[in-house]
Amino acid sequence: MHSRAATIIGYVLGFALLFVIWHLASRYLVSSVLFPSPFPVFERGWVLLEEGLLQESVWASMRRIIQGFLLGSAIGIPIGLAIGSFRPVRLLLEPWTEFFRFIPAVAMITVAVIWFGIGEESKIFLIAYTTVFVVVIATAAGVGAVGKDKVRAAQCLGANKFQVFALVALPATVPYILTGMRLAMANAFVTIVAAELVASNDGLGKMLWDARLFMQVEDIFVALISLGLLGFATDRVFRLLIRAFAGRFNPTM
Amino acid sequence: MVAFVELDGVGMTFRGRTGAYEAVRDFNLELSEGEFFCLLGTSGCGKTTVMNMLAGFDTPTSGQIRLEGKPVRGPGADRGVVFQGHDSLYDWLTARDNIAFGLRLRGMGRGERRAIADRFLNMVGLKGQGDKHPSELSGGMKQRIQIARALANDPRMLLMDEPFGALDAMTRAVLQGELSRIWSENRKTVLFITHDIEEACALATRVGVMKRGPGGTLKAVVPIDLPFPRERTSDAFMASFRQVHELIHAEIHPHA
């Protein structure tokens, strides 16, 4: 319990220090209207919350992230398992992953908009796209890393091929899958902002873009802080999940 | 009468990028049911290869292996294996579920599985530790779980590949004693791989000494006709130890 309390205090102090430095910098280093101090930003954030605009943008972005992310994972996990388990599948699909993972989702925005318009579909497609390859690679690596003796032990306890897969390879791969999903989630944040900047009617990216058009510098900062906090919170959730499912037997994660 | 286990002119040549390596050559051995056979040899003599072939992990490139008259083809539940490292345990399962894994594969119900697993937990001296995960157990305890897991599945025989090799000397001696006691109670046929002369003499009814590799094969078989539990400081034990030691010494220092 002690160490948990220390962690929380550390985080609170760390964030407080960030805002202190920000305040001092805006006051003495770059005093300019283009770099506001945290106080007007917080005030503006409060107003946006009261008007319900901030929640709206946050929810629009998060909804897309979650939908695309779940879709991408649902496609990526089985493909990763297949690539890791069957050599022919790996030989066939590895070129795909090796090719597509170097075409960033941001570069796909134009195609996505042409294909799916500026509505939800294009965002979900882009998030799913950015998620899929990370999850595929992490999952396939996990299957490949299953200890030889774990498989052998199951075989000489009478396991057939399906049982080896379902009861040994799959659970042993879960930590890798979760780690891949955690990395993919970070990509999803990058992608959603870029996509909403370019083509969207709502969301945090759109909020950033509009604020730039109308020179509402405080709004920009509110959107940036929201992104940071959202990402931080989601990553925490993933760390908790990884700990719950895998940390027990893998203290390094 | 057919021997329980027969290794009949067994050879194993591995083919790799650097060429062929003959690990085992013309290996002949018969085991009778209920005996504890220790296969002793220096590192690289091919003793683990012999075990891997009997377990069905590797297929011999020559000769044949039969268990109760039937040729061995691939791994199966009739041959329980205890591995050297504890990497073979399932980290996501409790000790009890690890032990019951083979029973679960057969579709046995939860209650029955639990009862059997608890019986084997007691047998290996881990009563009350069933809810722990492998990461919470010491190296010695993990090897106890491995032994319990193999036995709970009720195989026809047990294959053990230097199961105590990675343990400290104290824990090793304790586990050797426990294994000897368990074996005295159930008399499962055991093939036990080791490079430790004392361990072999303490556990085995017969010790097979292997020649150096490559092309490792059986050099001599020494019966250890001493009652269990064995008194390691007795003259009779020392005599067996010396006898095996001389055989293996010639393999360590071939030109001495």
mmCIF file of all heavy atoms in Angstrom, chain A residues 64-65 67-73 75-76 96-109 111-112 115-116 121-136 184 187-188 191:
data_model
loop_
_atom_site.group_PDB
_atom_site.id
_atom_site.type_symbol
_atom_site.label_atom_id
_atom_site.label_comp_id
_atom_site.label_asym_id
_atom_site.label_seq_id
_atom_site.Cartn_x
_atom_site.Cartn_y
_atom_site.Cartn_z
ATOM 1 N N ARG A 64 -14.488 6.774 -31.702
ATOM 2 C CA ARG A 64 -13.814 6.301 -32.923
ATOM 3 C C ARG A 64 -12.605 5.434 -32.584
ATOM 4 O O ARG A 64 -12.372 4.393 -33.211
ATOM 5 C CB ARG A 64 -13.345 7.492 -33.754
ATOM 6 C CG ARG A 64 -14.490 8.246 -34.375
ATOM 7 C CD ARG A 64 -14.066 9.601 -34.889
ATOM 8 N NE ARG A 64 -15.230 10.317 -35.379
ATOM 9 C CZ ARG A 64 -15.350 11.634 -35.368
ATOM 10 N NH1 ARG A 64 -14.376 12.381 -34.888
ATOM 11 N NH2 ARG A 64 -16.429 12.209 -35.830
ATOM 12 N N ILE A 65 -11.843 5.909 -31.600
ATOM 13 C CA ILE A 65 -10.660 5.140 -31.217
ATOM 14 C C ILE A 65 -11.070 3.752 -30.759
ATOM 15 O O ILE A 65 -10.522 2.739 -31.196
ATOM 16 C CB ILE A 65 -9.873 5.869 -30.096
ATOM 17 C CG1 ILE A 65 -9.150 7.090 -30.670
ATOM 18 C CG2 ILE A 65 -8.873 4.921 -29.445
ATOM 19 C CD1 ILE A 65 -8.351 7.858 -29.645
ATOM 20 N N GLN A 67 -13.872 2.000 -31.238
ATOM 21 C CA GLN A 67 -14.459 1.162 -32.292
ATOM 22 C C GLN A 67 -13.381 0.634 -33.242
ATOM 23 O O GLN A 67 -13.309 -0.564 -33.513
ATOM 24 C CB GLN A 67 -15.510 1.950 -33.074
ATOM 25 C CG GLN A 67 -16.796 2.154 -32.282
ATOM 26 C CD GLN A 67 -17.795 3.051 -32.999
ATOM 27 O OE1 GLN A 67 -17.411 3.823 -33.885
ATOM 28 N NE2 GLN A 67 -19.059 2.944 -32.614
ATOM 29 N N GLY A 68 -12.545 1.560 -33.722
ATOM 30 C CA GLY A 68 -11.504 1.160 -34.668
ATOM 31 C C GLY A 68 -10.501 0.222 -34.033
ATOM 32 O O GLY A 68 -10.053 -0.753 -34.645
ATOM 33 N N PHE A 69 -10.196 0.519 -32.786
ATOM 34 C CA PHE A 69 -9.213 -0.271 -32.061
ATOM 35 C C PHE A 69 -9.717 -1.701 -31.845
ATOM 36 O O PHE A 69 -8.979 -2.672 -32.040
ATOM 37 C CB PHE A 69 -8.936 0.413 -30.726
ATOM 38 C CG PHE A 69 -8.011 -0.323 -29.828
ATOM 39 C CD1 PHE A 69 -6.650 -0.337 -30.065
ATOM 40 C CD2 PHE A 69 -8.499 -1.006 -28.725
ATOM 41 C CE1 PHE A 69 -5.792 -1.019 -29.231
ATOM 42 C CE2 PHE A 69 -7.651 -1.688 -27.882
ATOM 43 C CZ PHE A 69 -6.294 -1.694 -28.136
ATOM 44 N N LEU A 70 -10.976 -1.817 -31.455
ATOM 45 C CA LEU A 70 -11.545 -3.159 -31.239
ATOM 46 C C LEU A 70 -11.629 -3.921 -32.555
ATOM 47 O O LEU A 70 -11.290 -5.108 -32.621
ATOM 48 C CB LEU A 70 -12.928 -3.061 -30.589
ATOM 49 C CG LEU A 70 -12.919 -2.584 -29.131
ATOM 50 C CD1 LEU A 70 -14.347 -2.501 -28.590
ATOM 51 C CD2 LEU A 70 -12.069 -3.495 -28.258
ATOM 52 N N LEU A 71 -12.046 -3.214 -33.610
ATOM 53 C CA LEU A 71 -12.110 -3.853 -34.922
ATOM 54 C C LEU A 71 -10.723 -4.332 -35.361
ATOM 55 O O LEU A 71 -10.538 -5.478 -35.782
ATOM 56 C CB LEU A 71 -12.700 -2.872 -35.945
ATOM 57 C CG LEU A 71 -12.831 -3.390 -37.379
ATOM 58 C CD1 LEU A 71 -13.829 -4.524 -37.453
ATOM 59 C CD2 LEU A 71 -13.250 -2.258 -38.327
ATOM 60 N N GLY A 72 -9.743 -3.432 -35.232
ATOM 61 C CA GLY A 72 -8.374 -3.774 -35.634
ATOM 62 C C GLY A 72 -7.821 -4.943 -34.843
ATOM 63 O O GLY A 72 -7.168 -5.836 -35.391
ATOM 64 N N SER A 73 -8.096 -4.960 -33.534
ATOM 65 C CA SER A 73 -7.607 -6.064 -32.705
ATOM 66 C C SER A 73 -8.306 -7.362 -33.077
ATOM 67 O O SER A 73 -7.674 -8.424 -33.130
ATOM 68 C CB SER A 73 -7.851 -5.763 -31.222
ATOM 69 O OG SER A 73 -7.193 -4.572 -30.857
ATOM 70 N N ILE A 75 -9.390 -8.248 -35.874
ATOM 71 C CA ILE A 75 -8.816 -8.779 -37.112
ATOM 72 C C ILE A 75 -7.374 -9.228 -36.878
ATOM 73 O O ILE A 75 -6.937 -10.265 -37.364
ATOM 74 C CB ILE A 75 -8.859 -7.701 -38.232
ATOM 75 C CG1 ILE A 75 -10.314 -7.324 -38.532
ATOM 76 C CG2 ILE A 75 -8.171 -8.201 -39.496
ATOM 77 C CD1 ILE A 75 -10.443 -6.090 -39.416
ATOM 78 N N GLY A 76 -6.645 -8.426 -36.107
ATOM 79 C CA GLY A 76 -5.210 -8.663 -35.954
ATOM 80 C C GLY A 76 -4.851 -9.899 -35.151
ATOM 81 O O GLY A 76 -3.908 -10.609 -35.489
ATOM 82 N N TRP A 96 2.799 -8.990 -46.559
ATOM 83 C CA TRP A 96 1.747 -7.985 -46.383
ATOM 84 C C TRP A 96 2.045 -7.091 -45.184
ATOM 85 O O TRP A 96 2.060 -5.870 -45.303
ATOM 86 C CB TRP A 96 0.393 -8.652 -46.124
ATOM 87 C CG TRP A 96 -0.184 -9.403 -47.267
ATOM 88 C CD1 TRP A 96 0.487 -10.166 -48.181
ATOM 89 C CD2 TRP A 96 -1.562 -9.457 -47.612
ATOM 90 N NE1 TRP A 96 -0.403 -10.713 -49.068
ATOM 91 C CE2 TRP A 96 -1.650 -10.296 -48.742
ATOM 92 C CE3 TRP A 96 -2.714 -8.894 -47.067
ATOM 93 C CZ2 TRP A 96 -2.872 -10.577 -49.340
ATOM 94 C CZ3 TRP A 96 -3.918 -9.180 -47.654
ATOM 95 C CH2 TRP A 96 -3.997 -10.010 -48.785
ATOM 96 N N THR A 97 2.274 -7.731 -44.037
ATOM 97 C CA THR A 97 2.489 -6.923 -42.831
ATOM 98 C C THR A 97 3.765 -6.097 -42.977
ATOM 99 O O THR A 97 3.811 -4.950 -42.571
ATOM 100 C CB THR A 97 2.582 -7.810 -41.578
ATOM 101 O OG1 THR A 97 3.667 -8.719 -41.737
ATOM 102 C CG2 THR A 97 1.311 -8.592 -41.356
ATOM 103 N N GLU A 98 4.780 -6.721 -43.575
ATOM 104 C CA GLU A 98 6.037 -5.993 -43.723
ATOM 105 C C GLU A 98 5.890 -4.814 -44.687
ATOM 106 O O GLU A 98 6.633 -3.851 -44.616
ATOM 107 C CB GLU A 98 7.141 -6.933 -44.225
ATOM 108 C CG GLU A 98 7.577 -7.955 -43.206
ATOM 109 C CD GLU A 98 8.075 -7.302 -41.923
ATOM 110 O OE1 GLU A 98 9.043 -6.537 -41.976
ATOM 111 O OE2 GLU A 98 7.463 -7.543 -40.855
ATOM 112 N N PHE A 99 4.945 -4.905 -45.585
ATOM 113 C CA PHE A 99 4.724 -3.847 -46.579
ATOM 114 C C PHE A 99 3.842 -2.743 -45.987
ATOM 115 O O PHE A 99 4.196 -1.572 -45.978
ATOM 116 C CB PHE A 99 4.073 -4.477 -47.812
ATOM 117 C CG PHE A 99 3.652 -3.507 -48.870
ATOM 118 C CD1 PHE A 99 4.591 -2.892 -49.691
ATOM 119 C CD2 PHE A 99 2.310 -3.201 -49.056
ATOM 120 C CE1 PHE A 99 4.201 -2.001 -50.684
ATOM 121 C CE2 PHE A 99 1.919 -2.305 -50.034
ATOM 122 C CZ PHE A 99 2.862 -1.706 -50.847
ATOM 123 N N PHE A 100 2.708 -3.156 -45.451
ATOM 124 C CA PHE A 100 1.725 -2.168 -45.012
ATOM 125 C C PHE A 100 2.136 -1.406 -43.758
ATOM 126 O O PHE A 100 1.737 -0.268 -43.562
ATOM 127 C CB PHE A 100 0.362 -2.835 -44.774
ATOM 128 C CG PHE A 100 -0.402 -3.070 -46.029
ATOM 129 C CD1 PHE A 100 -0.623 -4.349 -46.498
ATOM 130 C CD2 PHE A 100 -0.897 -1.985 -46.762
ATOM 131 C CE1 PHE A 100 -1.324 -4.569 -47.665
ATOM 132 C CE2 PHE A 100 -1.596 -2.203 -47.931
ATOM 133 C CZ PHE A 100 -1.819 -3.494 -48.393
ATOM 134 N N ARG A 101 2.954 -2.056 -42.916
ATOM 135 C CA ARG A 101 3.261 -1.343 -41.681
ATOM 136 C C ARG A 101 4.175 -0.138 -41.927
ATOM 137 O O ARG A 101 4.354 0.696 -41.055
ATOM 138 C CB ARG A 101 3.828 -2.277 -40.612
ATOM 139 C CG ARG A 101 5.250 -2.736 -40.817
ATOM 140 C CD ARG A 101 5.553 -3.840 -39.828
ATOM 141 N NE ARG A 101 6.878 -4.364 -39.984
ATOM 142 C CZ ARG A 101 7.922 -4.019 -39.225
ATOM 143 N NH1 ARG A 101 7.770 -3.151 -38.262
ATOM 144 N NH2 ARG A 101 9.106 -4.549 -39.451
ATOM 145 N N PHE A 102 4.740 -0.062 -43.152
ATOM 146 C CA PHE A 102 5.545 1.118 -43.463
ATOM 147 C C PHE A 102 4.740 2.196 -44.181
ATOM 148 O O PHE A 102 5.265 3.241 -44.521
ATOM 149 C CB PHE A 102 6.775 0.719 -44.282
ATOM 150 C CG PHE A 102 7.750 -0.073 -43.463
ATOM 151 C CD1 PHE A 102 7.911 -1.430 -43.649
ATOM 152 C CD2 PHE A 102 8.482 0.557 -42.461
ATOM 153 C CE1 PHE A 102 8.784 -2.151 -42.873
ATOM 154 C CE2 PHE A 102 9.361 -0.152 -41.671
ATOM 155 C CZ PHE A 102 9.508 -1.525 -41.882
ATOM 156 N N ILE A 103 3.483 1.901 -44.449
ATOM 157 C CA ILE A 103 2.599 2.949 -44.976
ATOM 158 C C ILE A 103 1.793 3.459 -43.797
ATOM 159 O O ILE A 103 0.842 2.808 -43.365
ATOM 160 C CB ILE A 103 1.651 2.390 -46.056
ATOM 161 C CG1 ILE A 103 2.448 1.703 -47.160
ATOM 162 C CG2 ILE A 103 0.794 3.526 -46.631
ATOM 163 C CD1 ILE A 103 1.589 1.075 -48.231
ATOM 164 N N PRO A 104 2.162 4.606 -43.240
ATOM 165 C CA PRO A 104 1.504 5.049 -42.015
ATOM 166 C C PRO A 104 0.028 5.371 -42.254
ATOM 167 O O PRO A 104 -0.362 5.742 -43.367
ATOM 168 C CB PRO A 104 2.279 6.297 -41.614
ATOM 169 C CG PRO A 104 2.990 6.736 -42.842
ATOM 170 C CD PRO A 104 3.205 5.526 -43.684
ATOM 171 N N ALA A 105 -0.755 5.220 -41.209
ATOM 172 C CA ALA A 105 -2.186 5.497 -41.297
ATOM 173 C C ALA A 105 -2.425 6.927 -41.768
ATOM 174 O O ALA A 105 -3.359 7.192 -42.523
ATOM 175 C CB ALA A 105 -2.844 5.263 -39.947
ATOM 176 N N VAL A 106 -1.535 7.835 -41.339
ATOM 177 C CA VAL A 106 -1.687 9.244 -41.719
ATOM 178 C C VAL A 106 -1.669 9.389 -43.246
ATOM 179 O O VAL A 106 -2.399 10.198 -43.822
ATOM 180 C CB VAL A 106 -0.555 10.077 -41.070
ATOM 181 C CG1 VAL A 106 -0.609 11.507 -41.552
ATOM 182 C CG2 VAL A 106 -0.678 10.012 -39.549
ATOM 183 N N ALA A 107 -0.835 8.560 -43.899
ATOM 184 C CA ALA A 107 -0.755 8.618 -45.357
ATOM 185 C C ALA A 107 -1.994 8.040 -46.005
ATOM 186 O O ALA A 107 -2.278 8.295 -47.176
ATOM 187 C CB ALA A 107 0.486 7.854 -45.840
ATOM 188 N N MET A 108 -2.741 7.251 -45.249
ATOM 189 C CA MET A 108 -3.937 6.617 -45.780
ATOM 190 C C MET A 108 -5.174 7.501 -45.642
ATOM 191 O O MET A 108 -6.255 7.132 -46.107
ATOM 192 C CB MET A 108 -4.203 5.281 -45.064
ATOM 193 C CG MET A 108 -3.118 4.236 -45.227
ATOM 194 S SD MET A 108 -3.004 3.601 -46.918
ATOM 195 C CE MET A 108 -4.374 2.464 -46.928
ATOM 196 N N ILE A 109 -5.022 8.659 -44.970
ATOM 197 C CA ILE A 109 -6.195 9.506 -44.727
ATOM 198 C C ILE A 109 -6.892 9.873 -46.033
ATOM 199 O O ILE A 109 -8.115 9.768 -46.151
ATOM 200 C CB ILE A 109 -5.800 10.788 -43.954
ATOM 201 C CG1 ILE A 109 -5.375 10.420 -42.524
ATOM 202 C CG2 ILE A 109 -6.973 11.774 -43.912
ATOM 203 C CD1 ILE A 109 -4.849 11.580 -41.727
ATOM 204 N N VAL A 111 -6.978 8.377 -48.987
ATOM 205 C CA VAL A 111 -7.743 7.253 -49.556
ATOM 206 C C VAL A 111 -8.984 6.990 -48.714
ATOM 207 O O VAL A 111 -10.059 6.735 -49.243
ATOM 208 C CB VAL A 111 -6.915 5.945 -49.600
ATOM 209 C CG1 VAL A 111 -7.300 5.129 -50.800
ATOM 210 C CG2 VAL A 111 -5.454 6.204 -49.497
ATOM 211 N N ALA A 112 -8.796 7.034 -47.386
ATOM 212 C CA ALA A 112 -9.906 6.723 -46.491
ATOM 213 C C ALA A 112 -11.066 7.689 -46.728
ATOM 214 O O ALA A 112 -12.228 7.279 -46.766
ATOM 215 C CB ALA A 112 -9.448 6.798 -45.036
ATOM 216 N N TRP A 115 -12.732 6.905 -50.044
ATOM 217 C CA TRP A 115 -13.532 5.687 -49.985
ATOM 218 C C TRP A 115 -14.755 5.824 -49.073
ATOM 219 O O TRP A 115 -15.846 5.405 -49.392
ATOM 220 C CB TRP A 115 -12.691 4.513 -49.476
ATOM 221 C CG TRP A 115 -11.710 4.002 -50.475
ATOM 222 C CD1 TRP A 115 -11.682 4.257 -51.810
ATOM 223 C CD2 TRP A 115 -10.599 3.161 -50.203
ATOM 224 N NE1 TRP A 115 -10.624 3.625 -52.392
ATOM 225 C CE2 TRP A 115 -9.941 2.931 -51.430
ATOM 226 C CE3 TRP A 115 -10.081 2.554 -49.054
ATOM 227 C CZ2 TRP A 115 -8.811 2.140 -51.532
ATOM 228 C CZ3 TRP A 115 -8.962 1.755 -49.149
ATOM 229 C CH2 TRP A 115 -8.326 1.554 -50.381
ATOM 230 N N PHE A 116 -14.514 6.385 -47.891
ATOM 231 C CA PHE A 116 -15.545 6.316 -46.857
ATOM 232 C C PHE A 116 -16.154 7.672 -46.496
ATOM 233 O O PHE A 116 -17.007 7.749 -45.618
ATOM 234 C CB PHE A 116 -14.986 5.687 -45.578
ATOM 235 C CG PHE A 116 -14.433 4.303 -45.779
ATOM 236 C CD1 PHE A 116 -13.067 4.078 -45.776
ATOM 237 C CD2 PHE A 116 -15.291 3.229 -45.990
ATOM 238 C CE1 PHE A 116 -12.555 2.804 -45.962
ATOM 239 C CE2 PHE A 116 -14.791 1.956 -46.175
ATOM 240 C CZ PHE A 116 -13.414 1.750 -46.167
ATOM 241 N N GLU A 121 -16.972 6.251 -40.729
ATOM 242 C CA GLU A 121 -16.344 5.079 -41.338
ATOM 243 C C GLU A 121 -14.861 5.297 -41.626
ATOM 244 O O GLU A 121 -14.038 4.426 -41.364
ATOM 245 C CB GLU A 121 -17.060 4.680 -42.640
ATOM 246 C CG GLU A 121 -18.452 4.106 -42.442
ATOM 247 C CD GLU A 121 -19.531 5.191 -42.343
ATOM 248 O OE1 GLU A 121 -19.156 6.383 -42.284
ATOM 249 O OE2 GLU A 121 -20.715 4.834 -42.313
ATOM 250 N N SER A 122 -14.548 6.476 -42.172
ATOM 251 C CA SER A 122 -13.146 6.701 -42.520
ATOM 252 C C SER A 122 -12.260 6.700 -41.267
ATOM 253 O O SER A 122 -11.146 6.171 -41.291
ATOM 254 C CB SER A 122 -12.983 8.004 -43.289
ATOM 255 O OG SER A 122 -13.455 9.086 -42.526
ATOM 256 N N LYS A 123 -12.746 7.259 -40.162
ATOM 257 C CA LYS A 123 -11.947 7.294 -38.922
ATOM 258 C C LYS A 123 -11.749 5.879 -38.375
ATOM 259 O O LYS A 123 -10.650 5.485 -37.992
ATOM 260 C CB LYS A 123 -12.618 8.142 -37.845
ATOM 261 C CG LYS A 123 -13.122 9.486 -38.302
ATOM 262 C CD LYS A 123 -12.008 10.380 -38.803
ATOM 263 C CE LYS A 123 -12.574 11.686 -39.317
ATOM 264 N NZ LYS A 123 -13.555 11.500 -40.422
ATOM 265 N N ILE A 124 -12.853 5.139 -38.365
ATOM 266 C CA ILE A 124 -12.769 3.772 -37.829
ATOM 267 C C ILE A 124 -11.831 2.929 -38.688
ATOM 268 O O ILE A 124 -11.008 2.169 -38.182
ATOM 269 C CB ILE A 124 -14.186 3.151 -37.738
ATOM 270 C CG1 ILE A 124 -14.988 3.904 -36.674
ATOM 271 C CG2 ILE A 124 -14.116 1.662 -37.402
ATOM 272 C CD1 ILE A 124 -16.466 3.595 -36.662
ATOM 273 N N PHE A 125 -11.924 3.125 -40.010
ATOM 274 C CA PHE A 125 -11.014 2.418 -40.910
ATOM 275 C C PHE A 125 -9.560 2.750 -40.575
ATOM 276 O O PHE A 125 -8.706 1.859 -40.470
ATOM 277 C CB PHE A 125 -11.317 2.799 -42.363
ATOM 278 C CG PHE A 125 -10.236 2.398 -43.332
ATOM 279 C CD1 PHE A 125 -10.136 1.089 -43.776
ATOM 280 C CD2 PHE A 125 -9.319 3.335 -43.784
ATOM 281 C CE1 PHE A 125 -9.133 0.718 -44.656
ATOM 282 C CE2 PHE A 125 -8.307 2.974 -44.666
ATOM 283 C CZ PHE A 125 -8.214 1.659 -45.109
ATOM 284 N N LEU A 126 -9.273 4.033 -40.389
ATOM 285 C CA LEU A 126 -7.885 4.441 -40.143
ATOM 286 C C LEU A 126 -7.364 3.905 -38.812
ATOM 287 O O LEU A 126 -6.222 3.447 -38.722
ATOM 288 C CB LEU A 126 -7.768 5.971 -40.181
ATOM 289 C CG LEU A 126 -7.897 6.573 -41.572
ATOM 290 C CD1 LEU A 126 -8.102 8.080 -41.490
ATOM 291 C CD2 LEU A 126 -6.651 6.262 -42.399
ATOM 292 N N ILE A 127 -8.192 3.967 -37.782
ATOM 293 C CA ILE A 127 -7.763 3.450 -36.472
ATOM 294 C C ILE A 127 -7.555 1.932 -36.563
ATOM 295 O O ILE A 127 -6.562 1.398 -36.051
ATOM 296 C CB ILE A 127 -8.814 3.769 -35.374
ATOM 297 C CG1 ILE A 127 -9.047 5.278 -35.257
ATOM 298 C CG2 ILE A 127 -8.367 3.193 -34.039
ATOM 299 C CD1 ILE A 127 -7.884 6.057 -34.777
ATOM 300 N N ALA A 128 -8.492 1.258 -37.221
ATOM 301 C CA ALA A 128 -8.361 -0.195 -37.372
ATOM 302 C C ALA A 128 -7.076 -0.511 -38.139
ATOM 303 O O ALA A 128 -6.321 -1.415 -37.778
ATOM 304 C CB ALA A 128 -9.571 -0.770 -38.098
ATOM 305 N N TYR A 129 -6.816 0.270 -39.191
ATOM 306 C CA TYR A 129 -5.621 0.076 -40.015
ATOM 307 C C TYR A 129 -4.350 0.216 -39.175
ATOM 308 O O TYR A 129 -3.439 -0.609 -39.246
ATOM 309 C CB TYR A 129 -5.626 1.091 -41.160
ATOM 310 C CG TYR A 129 -4.390 1.068 -42.017
ATOM 311 C CD1 TYR A 129 -4.289 0.205 -43.103
ATOM 312 C CD2 TYR A 129 -3.319 1.920 -41.754
ATOM 313 C CE1 TYR A 129 -3.157 0.174 -43.885
ATOM 314 C CE2 TYR A 129 -2.180 1.900 -42.525
ATOM 315 C CZ TYR A 129 -2.094 1.035 -43.593
ATOM 316 O OH TYR A 129 -0.977 1.003 -44.353
ATOM 317 N N THR A 130 -4.314 1.273 -38.360
ATOM 318 C CA THR A 130 -3.095 1.517 -37.583
ATOM 319 C C THR A 130 -2.943 0.480 -36.469
ATOM 320 O O THR A 130 -1.840 0.201 -36.010
ATOM 321 C CB THR A 130 -3.081 2.955 -37.017
ATOM 322 O OG1 THR A 130 -1.759 3.294 -36.659
ATOM 323 C CG2 THR A 130 -3.960 3.095 -35.808
ATOM 324 N N THR A 131 -4.064 -0.107 -36.034
ATOM 325 C CA THR A 131 -4.020 -1.104 -34.958
ATOM 326 C C THR A 131 -3.574 -2.468 -35.472
ATOM 327 O O THR A 131 -2.757 -3.155 -34.846
ATOM 328 C CB THR A 131 -5.422 -1.245 -34.320
ATOM 329 O OG1 THR A 131 -5.828 0.030 -33.841
ATOM 330 C CG2 THR A 131 -5.399 -2.234 -33.173
ATOM 331 N N VAL A 132 -4.134 -2.847 -36.617
ATOM 332 C CA VAL A 132 -4.005 -4.218 -37.097
ATOM 333 C C VAL A 132 -2.560 -4.722 -37.154
ATOM 334 O O VAL A 132 -2.230 -5.770 -36.598
ATOM 335 C CB VAL A 132 -4.698 -4.350 -38.474
ATOM 336 C CG1 VAL A 132 -3.930 -5.214 -39.430
ATOM 337 C CG2 VAL A 132 -6.082 -4.906 -38.299
ATOM 338 N N PHE A 133 -1.672 -3.945 -37.763
ATOM 339 C CA PHE A 133 -0.341 -4.488 -38.029
ATOM 340 C C PHE A 133 0.493 -4.630 -36.772
ATOM 341 O O PHE A 133 1.248 -5.591 -36.616
ATOM 342 C CB PHE A 133 0.351 -3.651 -39.105
ATOM 343 C CG PHE A 133 -0.420 -3.664 -40.383
ATOM 344 C CD1 PHE A 133 -1.173 -2.563 -40.772
ATOM 345 C CD2 PHE A 133 -0.460 -4.805 -41.162
ATOM 346 C CE1 PHE A 133 -1.922 -2.597 -41.926
ATOM 347 C CE2 PHE A 133 -1.213 -4.850 -42.319
ATOM 348 C CZ PHE A 133 -1.946 -3.740 -42.707
ATOM 349 N N VAL A 134 0.337 -3.687 -35.851
ATOM 350 C CA VAL A 134 1.057 -3.802 -34.585
ATOM 351 C C VAL A 134 0.598 -5.048 -33.831
ATOM 352 O O VAL A 134 1.410 -5.821 -33.312
ATOM 353 C CB VAL A 134 0.831 -2.543 -33.720
ATOM 354 C CG1 VAL A 134 1.612 -2.643 -32.431
ATOM 355 C CG2 VAL A 134 1.221 -1.295 -34.477
ATOM 356 N N VAL A 135 -0.723 -5.247 -33.804
ATOM 357 C CA VAL A 135 -1.267 -6.405 -33.083
ATOM 358 C C VAL A 135 -0.849 -7.708 -33.762
ATOM 359 O O VAL A 135 -0.474 -8.672 -33.093
ATOM 360 C CB VAL A 135 -2.805 -6.293 -32.969
ATOM 361 C CG1 VAL A 135 -3.404 -7.568 -32.400
ATOM 362 C CG2 VAL A 135 -3.185 -5.108 -32.086
ATOM 363 N N VAL A 136 -0.882 -7.730 -35.092
ATOM 364 C CA VAL A 136 -0.476 -8.937 -35.826
ATOM 365 C C VAL A 136 0.960 -9.308 -35.479
ATOM 366 O O VAL A 136 1.270 -10.459 -35.135
ATOM 367 C CB VAL A 136 -0.612 -8.732 -37.357
ATOM 368 C CG1 VAL A 136 0.164 -9.798 -38.119
ATOM 369 C CG2 VAL A 136 -2.073 -8.760 -37.761
ATOM 370 N N ALA A 184 -0.495 -0.296 -29.970
ATOM 371 C CA ALA A 184 -1.419 0.126 -31.018
ATOM 372 C C ALA A 184 -2.286 1.275 -30.541
ATOM 373 O O ALA A 184 -2.633 2.171 -31.314
ATOM 374 C CB ALA A 184 -2.285 -1.063 -31.449
ATOM 375 N N ASN A 187 -0.630 4.485 -31.121
ATOM 376 C CA ASN A 187 -0.745 4.837 -32.547
ATOM 377 C C ASN A 187 -2.123 5.403 -32.856
ATOM 378 O O ASN A 187 -2.258 6.336 -33.648
ATOM 379 C CB ASN A 187 -0.542 3.600 -33.424
ATOM 380 C CG ASN A 187 0.898 3.178 -33.485
ATOM 381 O OD1 ASN A 187 1.745 3.783 -32.831
ATOM 382 N ND2 ASN A 187 1.176 2.135 -34.245
ATOM 383 N N ALA A 188 -3.147 4.810 -32.222
ATOM 384 C CA ALA A 188 -4.510 5.239 -32.498
ATOM 385 C C ALA A 188 -4.709 6.709 -32.134
ATOM 386 O O ALA A 188 -5.397 7.446 -32.849
ATOM 387 C CB ALA A 188 -5.498 4.359 -31.729
ATOM 388 N N THR A 191 -3.221 8.824 -34.870
ATOM 389 C CA THR A 191 -3.995 8.742 -36.100
ATOM 390 C C THR A 191 -5.308 9.509 -36.007
ATOM 391 O O THR A 191 -5.684 10.220 -36.942
ATOM 392 C CB THR A 191 -4.281 7.261 -36.437
ATOM 393 O OG1 THR A 191 -3.035 6.567 -36.438
ATOM 394 C CG2 THR A 191 -4.945 7.127 -37.782
#
